[in-house]
Amino acid sequence: MKTFSKKNEINISKITEKHMKNNNVKKWEPENFELQTTTIWSFPKRGNWATHRGDYRGNWAPEIPRNLILRYSKKGDIVLDPFVGSGTTIIECKLLGRRGIGIDINPDAIKLAKKRIEFSKLFDEPQELRVGDARDLSFIKSNSIDLICAHPPYADAIQYTDGIEGDLSFIKNVDEFVNEIGKVAKECYRVLKPGKYCGVLIGDIRRKKRVIPVGFKVMNEFLNVGFNLKEIIIKLQHECKTTPLWEKKSIEYNFLLLAHEYLFVFEKLEK
Ligand SMILES: C[S@@+](CC[C@H](N)C(=O)[O-])C[C@H]1O[C@@H](n2cnc3c(N)ncnc32)[C@H](O)[C@@H]1O
């Protein structure tokens, strides 16, 4: 996830028709894609196949949901992304023959995601995108989801809306934020089928020159609701070098630039 705005990123409140077009697709699949085999993942060149554009602030590289989907689900499975943003996960679901359910608190993000899955495949699985709150998945039956791919805000590192009620990126107090994520974790646990997996990408933040371990705090919330820990993956960040303000601050105050995120893979054990 990027922590700094770049010129070509979308400010979600300024989405125009230009961003909604998904023509000009040059390739439908990644070139030379290989499934990750270690606990360190790095995608220096963010994939831009199909309708992936990488222009939604805080989007994740499509390689991440692709890896999770290919490793932990099979064709026809139901995949849930409770923080779907620009729809990266659901585009991958559509390409890979999974049934995606994507939720976001921001109606503009859902609008954008819907545009980005406006392509057809020979054997299309249905995809569902809806405005909603990841803390309340009551429209989904218990034990019905095959895989969860979740990419929540990293506390208030990036704000995603102009302050829509329920937007977790507006919670400044980290403990309060983590508490709300606990509600998401509980719902994820409830809807996931036993024996299935839930991937969560999350990064730490730095405040007053010190690191706040948002990643491990969020991990604990998922463990507290009953999940088991299958993997801790370090996902390298590549944007931190291009943030001159942080570079300057890191020299001035002698701290290291945060250059990784965590991808936790949780398992709901069979009883
Ligand atoms: C890190 S971004 C996800 C980006 C996404 N992976 C992509 O590739 O576009 C986090 C998303 O969470 C959404 N969000 C914030 N609070 C939420 C909530 N309570 N329920 C659902 N979505 C929420 C934001 O609007 C934002 O789109």
Side-chain angles (χ1 to χ4, degrees):
M1 183 161 111
K2 298 165 190 168
T3 41
F4 273 82
S5 178
K6 287 187 185 164
K7 272 193 205 130
N8 59 350
E9 283 179 343
I10 299 177
N11 177 339
I12 193 71
S13 56
K14 295 198 181 82
I15 288 177
T16 65
E17 279 307 305
K18 180 170 76 91
H19 298 110
M20 297 298 203
K21 287 186 186 153
N22 64 24
N23 48 14
N24 297 327
V25 169
K26 295 200 176 68
K27 53 180 182 205
W28 286 100
E29 298 290 332
E31 277 157 22
N32 310 319
F33 177 84
E34 279 178 27
L35 214 53
Q36 297 295 299
T37 54
T38 76
T39 54
I40 298 185
W41 294 12
S42 172
F43 309 108
K45 270 194 177 169
R46 182 176 297 249
N48 62 353
W49 63 90
T51 54
H52 295 301
R53 293 290 172 267
D55 53 3
Y56 181 79
R57 271 196 88 196
N59 68 97
W60 60 4
E63 287 86 348
I64 298 173
R66 176 164 283 245
N67 266 280
L68 292 171
I69 289 168
L70 288 174
R71 186 175 284 279
Y72 299 115
S73 73
K74 54 183 192 318
K75 284 207 166 146
D77 272 0
I78 305 178
V79 178
L80 167 70
D81 185 338
F83 299 97
V84 78
S86 56
T88 313
T89 305
I90 308 302
I91 296 170
E92 283 304 300
C93 284
K94 188 153 177 168
L95 293 171
L96 296 168
R98 272 64 167 175
R99 287 182 282 163
I101 303 175
I103 300 162
D104 203 282
I105 201 82
N106 188 348
D108 283 343
I110 292 297
K111 215 161 129 191
L112 179 63
K114 280 186 175 165
K115 278 286 168 191
R116 293 204 167 159
I117 58 161
E118 270 180 13
F119 56 86
S120 48
K121 284 191 64 222
L122 199 51
F123 304 104
D124 247 352
E125 292 289 352
Q127 311 298 328
E128 182 181 348
L129 286 160
R130 58 152 77 197
V131 177
D133 190 325
R135 294 169 295 182
D136 174 12
L137 304 177
S138 49
F139 72 99
I140 301 177
K141 277 200 266 169
S142 300
N143 306 316
S144 64
I145 300 292
D146 294 289
L147 171 67
I148 298 174
C149 302
H151 185 203
Y154 301 178
D156 64 343
I158 292 179
Q159 257 125 32
Y160 289 96
T161 66
D162 293 331
I164 288 177
E165 171 96 34
D167 180 351
L168 300 182
S169 67
F170 273 80
I171 306 178
K172 295 237 169 301
N173 180 298
V174 171
D175 289 335
E176 233 175 83
F177 169 80
V178 169
N179 191 45
E180 295 311 303
I181 289 289
K183 297 176 187 168
V184 179
K186 198 171 170 199
E187 279 292 76
C188 287
Y189 190 82
R190 179 183 67 77
V191 300
L192 194 66
K193 288 180 186 168
K196 303 284 179 164
Y197 299 95
C198 168
V200 180
L201 184 75
I202 183 87
D204 296 329
I205 58 173
R206 193 178 284 282
R207 275 196 194 152
K208 294 186 181 154
K209 300 172 256 172
R210 299 204 167 75
V211 176
I212 316 279
V214 176
F216 289 146
K217 283 173 184 269
V218 165
M219 179 191 77
N220 279 331
E221 290 299 314
F222 279 78
L223 298 181
N224 287 342
V225 298
F227 278 111
N228 274 54
L229 191 55
K230 170 115 176 133
E231 308 288 356
I232 297 182
I233 296 156
I234 303 295
K235 152 66 190 28
L236 298 187
Q237 266 186 321
H238 295 279
E239 290 83 8
C240 64
K241 291 189 196 76
T242 58
T243 55
L245 177 72
W246 277 99
E247 220 164 66
K248 191 168 160 270
K249 276 192 184 182
S250 73
I251 294 163
E252 198 177 336
Y253 300 112
N254 188 24
F255 63 72
L256 303 174
L257 292 168
L258 291 173
H260 68 283
E261 295 149 292
Y262 299 100
L263 177 59
F264 299 112
V265 180
F266 302 103
E267 182 177 5
K268 178 172 173 178
L269 293 185
E270 311 251 16
K271 288 267 151 68

